[in-house]
Amino acid sequence: MLDARQPDTSKENRPPKYARVRTSPRAHYDWDVIAPILESSLVAHVGFTDEDRPMVIPMAFAVINRTIYIHGAKAARIVKKTAKNAPVCLTFTHVDGIVAARSAFHHSVNYRCAIIHGNARLVTDYDEAWDALKEITEHLLPGRWEEVRPMTDKEQRSTGVIAVDIEHAAAKIRQGPPVDDAEDYDKPHWAGVIPVTTALGQPIDDGKVLDGVKAPASPARAIQKFA
């Protein structure tokens, strides 16, 4: 379980090389920094190995007590390949701006990224799987679970739920203007940041909604959450 405090970075206790952020001034290992990046992410990119090849798949997710849950059809390879405590890596990324410098070399991106390493296990407990599927739905559309018909046992049995118990977690964040070479500030070139904004639009019904049925509250909550 990930500790919310800043980790002990002594040689004996610091994360293994694969779990460290190379650029230390941009590194964060505090859960209070990592958690908001996950909470405001729409998808997790899940990396695993299949037939000795690296695979990365974007998936819906939820976080419960610092365990990350993902789901898919039981026949999906990610469910089959990660069912037996397989190592996985999950990334969550927000691009906040394009950083334009006075030289091409110093161009960059403002971003917030979280990288999670852990072992994936197939959830076999009925209640744990039910709670995970509920929270995955609620993560995307807060309050949606109570707006729809109940999930059937058949639907739950056909869905594979994977839990990723966090072993190591890190965030890497870059914010701010470009950093140019001192001699370039006297040159007549524009430099600055082009903000990147992501937002949810207004809900559009599927054309088959019964007369008198209005849009529920969950889309408005999602628009506010992911603003």
Side-chain angles (χ1 to χ4, degrees):
M1 198 66 72
L2 182 68
D3 196 317
R5 299 169 299 176
Q6 196 74 11
D8 183 347
T9 55
S10 65
K11 187 175 181 180
E12 295 79 10
N13 295 291
R14 63 184 176 179
K17 271 190 174 183
Y18 66 81
R20 294 180 219 160
V21 175
R22 184 183 63 84
T23 309
S24 57
R26 298 179 184 173
H28 302 268
Y29 300 96
D30 192 324
W31 183 254
D32 290 339
V33 176
I34 297 167
I37 297 175
L38 274 60
E39 178 64 18
S40 55
S41 294
L42 286 168
V43 298
H45 284 85
V46 184
F48 62 102
T49 302
D50 181 24
E51 297 182 358
D52 296 323
R53 298 290 301 178
M55 300 290 297
V56 178
I57 297 178
M59 302 190 73
F61 73 96
V63 183
I64 305 175
N65 296 328
R66 297 186 200 167
T67 295
I68 301 173
Y69 290 91
I70 57 179
H71 79 294
K74 283 193 173 177
R77 68 181 149 191
I78 190 169
V79 175
K80 291 180 177 179
K81 295 298 180 180
T82 59
K84 298 181 179 179
N85 296 320
V88 294
C89 178
L90 289 76
T91 60
F92 309 79
T93 305
H94 300 277
V95 177
D96 297 319
I98 300 171
V99 180
R102 289 167 178 81
S103 70
F105 180 80
H106 288 300
H107 278 58
S108 187
V109 173
N110 283 338
Y111 62 89
R112 292 160 290 138
C113 179
I115 306 97
I116 307 292
H117 291 275
N119 285 314
R121 58 179 172 85
L122 181 66
V123 176
T124 56
D125 180 80
Y126 184 91
D127 291 335
E128 184 182 8
W130 182 281
D131 290 344
L133 292 171
K134 176 182 177 181
E135 290 305 315
I136 291 171
T137 303
E138 292 283 302
H139 173 70
L140 291 175
L141 289 167
R144 186 61 177 163
W145 194 258
E146 298 300 326
E147 296 173 348
V148 297
R149 68 159 174 80
M151 180 172 59
T152 66
D153 287 341
K154 180 180 179 181
E155 288 171 336
Q156 178 165 350
R157 287 195 300 270
S158 68
T159 305
V161 178
I162 297 295
V164 179
D165 297 313
I166 298 172
E167 288 188 332
H168 305 287
K172 187 176 180 182
I173 299 172
R174 198 259 188 224
Q175 300 292 316
V179 179
D180 277 302
D181 294 331
E183 59 271 21
D184 286 340
Y185 286 103
D186 291 331
K187 293 182 171 62
H189 304 293
W190 185 89
V193 176
I194 301 92
V196 174
T197 303
T198 302
L200 301 185
Q202 293 300 313
I204 303 170
D205 69 59
D206 66 355
K208 298 180 181 180
V209 175
L210 298 179
D211 290 341
V213 176
K214 297 180 180 180
S218 60
R221 294 191 186 110
I223 290 171
Q224 183 177 17
K225 175 180 178 179
F226 295 109

